[in-house]
Amino acid sequence: AVGRAFSFVLALIALAIFALLAGRLLRVTARDAGSDQHALRERIVAVLPLILVCELSFQRAANTIRMDMLTLCFMLGAFYFLLRDRDASSNRAGSWRWPLIAGVCVGGAALSHPIAVLLVPLVLIWTLPRWRSLLLAGMGTLAVFSLWLPYILSHLQLFCVQFIAQLVRKKDILSLFGGDTGGVLRVYAAQYGGQGFWMLLAGGMVLLAISAGLWRLAREWRSSAVVGAPNSIEVAAERTRRVLDSEVVRLIASFAGVFVLVLLSSEAWYPLYVGPFLLLTTARLYCDALHTPGASLPLWQRLQPESLALPFAAFALLAGTASFMFREHIVYDTPAKVARFEAAALDATRDCRVIYLRVRPDPYFALRERRARPGSSSPQQQEILEFIPGKLQFDPREMPFAGLRECMAVPGGHHEMLLRRYDSIACFLLDPNDAWEPPLRDYLRENAGSFETVALPVLPPLDAARLVRRR
């Protein structure tokens, strides 16, 4: 409860920063003064956080004991201060503090999760060619990130074993389809409801946002024409500089960079970081597209991607959340089934001294609560072990460089270490994904005579589960 409450508070902070970003990116310019743009943009700034709340990956991060929402807060904070620095520089009132604070946020994001690599293109996009700002952002990042170095240096081998193994797990990073996850496209789209139609809806939302960005880039290029010889290199360079210096072009590039890196990361938690940038970009494109009164435009121009991407994204996120809630709470009644599953897991593991968990929903906290309850029939010395992905590869022979091979060497061998640990475990509560842990799968097969299997009740949509208990 404490961990989830902390994530929830962080979600409120992220929404507040997101609202500040929306207000800054959708601010009324001098060109819009005296028009109805002010009221329109104020309404969109007010609505955007409500749309983000309906993003399923945002909801999950806000209610889960993970680092994702903390990383998002730092990421949005870094983006906000990068915008402050750009605005100050454009007004010739540049300040050293904005890029430095942005760098501190980047360092905080990097301490919380490696997905902070998303901020590398973001910092470059919003600082260059202002090298002073880039240098200050780098100094702020290093100052915070260096807090990790004493821990790394004092436990270098442990760091290598865990961190490098996590990176090696990404070896199928460019697989668009297939593999044990179904490929990066499936991993990304599955976060928006988990069923085919809503995955297509999520894909359509991103494709329309990309189309709107490309449409706007084409318009920016056409409007950046300069006087000179058509084939002049100088004219082309000046035209390119004008396009790249545009705030909306940098915003489109930010969304594209974040989306591509998240897509290639092939991890189920990471679509969280795309949603805010998609909404900010489509909202800016929407406001700019509606600057000219619609009555004076032909129908085909009023239905251009710039004016459709934001309404479609809002519809997709609202519909996805509504259908997910209806399916889980009305059709499946998942909360009640989770309670039944936990009760069955608690009963089945009552006499287990050491329990290994690889199952969803995870009864870890229910087991902890029972163990701590006075008068409980559970052994007070009960040890509860959480699943460490068997996908991690610890074989030094698979490492590409000699330095990494030496760093990854586990004393006594990782496989032998696992076997010794397995021998001390009385009960394995497992889901059907045995391919995730080949060593455990093989261990249970080779020692089948020492175990008995108890099937837990199957409660769709929950995964099937079984208890493998030592005789």
Side-chain angles (χ1 to χ4, degrees):
V2 172
R4 293 180 65 177
F6 182 62
S7 293
F8 187 81
V9 171
L10 288 173
L12 299 180
I13 296 173
L15 286 171
I17 302 172
F18 178 75
L20 291 175
L21 283 167
R24 182 161 290 272
L25 289 168
L26 302 183
R27 62 191 182 280
V28 177
T29 63
R31 185 185 66 173
D32 301 319
S35 70
D36 59 353
Q37 280 287 300
H38 183 72
L40 170 65
R41 294 184 185 232
E42 280 193 336
R43 287 195 295 268
I44 293 178
V45 169
V47 168
L48 274 184
L50 301 179
I51 300 175
L52 181 59
V53 166
C54 293
E55 216 259 20
L56 283 172
S57 63
F58 185 89
Q59 291 184 32
R60 180 169 70 167
N63 291 278
T64 307
I65 308 178
R66 274 180 55 93
M67 72 296 294
D68 302 287
M69 194 56 73
L70 177 63
T71 309
L72 181 64
C73 282
F74 280 125
M75 187 174 297
L76 294 178
F79 187 29
Y80 174 77
F81 288 112
L82 287 172
L83 290 181
R84 291 291 300 265
D85 175 57
R86 175 175 166 80
D87 290 347
S89 299
S90 63
N91 295 329
R92 298 184 179 181
S95 171
W96 59 269
R97 66 181 183 274
W98 302 130
L100 190 64
I101 297 174
V104 169
C105 291
V106 173
L111 282 183
S112 61
H113 199 286
I115 196 62
V117 69
L118 299 175
L119 285 167
V120 173
L122 212 63
V123 170
L124 294 176
I125 288 169
W126 291 95
T127 58
L128 292 179
R130 302 189 317 278
W131 295 100
R132 176 176 174 271
S133 293
L134 181 59
L135 178 62
L136 288 168
M139 291 171 57
T141 301
L142 290 177
V144 177
F145 191 73
S146 62
L147 299 175
W148 200 13
L149 295 180
Y151 167 77
I152 295 175
L153 295 176
S154 59
H155 305 280
L156 184 59
Q157 188 173 42
L158 288 175
F159 174 80
C160 288
V161 169
Q162 184 185 44
F163 195 77
I164 296 176
Q166 286 282 357
L167 296 181
V168 173
R169 184 169 64 90
K170 304 286 188 179
K171 63 183 184 301
D172 298 325
I173 201 168
L174 297 179
S175 300
L176 297 181
F177 302 98
D180 59 357
T181 62
V184 296
L185 294 177
R186 179 178 178 84
V187 168
Y188 180 87
Q191 304 315 301
Y192 298 93
Q195 292 187 352
F197 174 74
W198 300 115
M199 289 167 65
L200 290 174
L201 200 62
M205 176 179 68
V206 173
L207 287 176
L208 192 52
I210 293 173
S211 300
L214 293 175
W215 187 282
R216 179 58 183 270
L217 289 176
R219 280 179 47 194
E220 289 287 325
W221 180 257
R222 289 194 301 268
S223 64
S224 64
V226 295
V227 178
N231 298 323
S232 169
I233 295 178
E234 293 78 6
V235 170
E238 175 61 20
R239 192 175 187 184
T240 302
R241 188 197 64 77
R242 288 186 182 184
V243 171
L244 295 180
D245 197 48
S246 166
E247 183 179 76
V248 70
V249 170
R250 293 182 186 240
L251 182 59
I252 293 169
S254 301
F255 160 64
V258 169
F259 172 71
V260 169
L261 287 177
V262 165
L263 187 68
L264 296 181
S265 297
S266 186
E267 193 70 59
W269 303 93
Y270 300 166
L272 163 73
Y273 305 105
V274 176
F277 289 92
L278 184 147
L279 291 177
L280 290 172
T281 304
T282 55
R284 175 62 181 269
L285 296 175
Y286 180 83
C287 290
D288 291 354
L290 297 186
H291 173 68
T292 304
S296 63
L297 294 175
L299 179 63
W300 69 271
Q301 287 185 349
R302 279 181 278 153
L303 298 181
Q304 57 187 300
E306 287 180 83
S307 58
L308 294 178
L310 178 63
F312 186 84
F315 165 75
L317 295 177
L318 289 168
T321 293
S323 66
F324 181 81
M325 296 299 180
F326 178 80
R327 187 182 74 203
E328 296 300 322
H329 290 271
I330 305 300
V331 177
Y332 290 141
D333 194 14
T334 301
K337 292 180 179 177
V338 169
R340 288 172 56 191
F341 174 82
E342 282 196 343
L346 288 171
D347 183 66
T349 59
R350 180 180 295 107
D351 299 323
C352 298
R353 188 182 65 83
V354 183
I355 310 171
Y356 178 85
L357 301 176
R358 190 195 72 210
V359 67
R360 291 178 299 174
D362 190 344
Y364 176 82
F365 287 104
L367 288 167
R368 284 282 302 270
E369 183 183 9
R370 182 184 68 179
R371 183 180 64 178
R373 189 181 302 134
S376 169
S377 59
S378 173
Q380 292 299 304
Q381 71 277 17
Q382 190 176 62
E383 185 178 9
I384 307 167
L385 307 175
E386 282 283 10
F387 166 54
I388 298 176
K391 300 176 186 178
L392 299 186
Q393 299 178 17
F394 297 95
D395 190 346
R397 293 170 297 181
E398 298 183 7
M399 297 298 106
F401 305 108
L404 292 182
R405 286 194 291 271
E406 181 180 350
C407 187
M408 285 291 290
V410 180
H414 177 257
H415 186 72
E416 291 72 18
M417 181 183 67
L418 275 180
L419 292 180
R420 290 194 301 272
R421 193 64 174 110
Y422 291 156
D423 285 337
S424 68
I425 298 174
C427 301
F428 297 85
L429 188 58
L430 305 174
D431 60 20
N433 300 308
D434 291 334
W436 285 2
E437 294 185 280
L440 177 58
R441 178 195 60 200
D442 298 340
Y443 174 84
L444 294 177
R445 287 177 180 174
E446 293 169 3
N447 298 275
S450 303
F451 293 93
E452 61 179 354
T453 300
V454 178
L456 272 67
V458 179
L459 302 169
L462 304 183
D463 289 337
R466 69 190 190 280
L467 177 69
V468 182
R469 182 165 54 197
R470 198 175 296 275
R471 295 182 186 276

